[in-house]
Amino acid sequence: MAAKPPDKTILFAGIGLLILGILLRKLSEYPAIGLVLILLGVGVKTYYIILSIRSGLYQPGRELWFLFAGLTFFLGGLYLRGKDLVLDPTYLIILGLALKVLFIIKFIQIVRLNRQKRIDT
């Protein structure tokens, strides 16, 4: 028997923490607090995905490669910022964000399809 599907407020809380953390890092004198909020937001979103897997609402597939590659490019671009390179690290950051968005779109499609299957049965 599958667990109860997760509440979407968990996902929205994670997104909110992430956005608040980004804003605090860019607009305030407390970048460390912003970083903590960003990491907390990522953790909450990861928790939502794990709950979705445990409930049977989401079954991980090849789309996880979008997430892993996106995180690698994004974090690599952040690390390489300010370094003198042939390739501007901003392109890596943009590519990473694009791959993460592709993962999110695919994740939403899979969850919607599985919810529809549950309603139909």
Side-chain angles (χ1 to χ4, degrees):
M1 181 167 169
K4 182 178 123 200
D7 189 8
K8 285 186 183 181
T9 55
I10 296 170
L11 178 62
F12 294 132
I15 293 169
L17 287 168
L18 188 63
I19 291 170
L20 184 61
I22 291 169
L23 291 174
L24 269 176
R25 278 190 57 88
K26 294 295 179 187
L27 302 175
S28 78
E29 299 173 8
Y30 305 106
I33 296 173
L35 180 60
V36 168
L37 290 176
I38 290 170
L39 293 174
L40 188 61
V42 169
V44 170
K45 290 188 329 180
T46 303
Y47 177 67
Y48 179 83
I49 291 172
I50 291 170
L51 287 178
S52 296
I53 293 169
R54 292 183 78 195
S55 72
L57 197 58
Y58 171 65
Q59 293 178 350
R62 293 183 181 160
E63 70 281 352
L64 281 179
W65 286 107
F66 289 132
L67 179 61
F68 294 135
L71 285 171
T72 302
F73 284 121
F74 180 75
L75 295 174
L78 287 179
Y79 177 76
L80 294 173
R81 270 191 325 186
K83 306 232 186 318
D84 188 25
L85 299 170
V86 175
L87 177 69
D88 186 1
T90 305
Y91 296 123
L92 294 176
I93 294 170
I94 292 169
L95 177 61
L97 289 174
L99 289 171
K100 287 171 59 174
V101 167
L102 285 174
F103 167 77
I104 292 168
I105 291 168
K106 188 65 178 167
F107 176 81
I108 290 170
Q109 289 174 342
I110 291 170
V111 168
R112 282 186 178 167
L113 181 66
N114 286 339
R115 276 202 177 115
Q116 189 62 37
K117 284 181 184 176
R118 282 184 175 194
I119 291 172
D120 290 342
T121 56

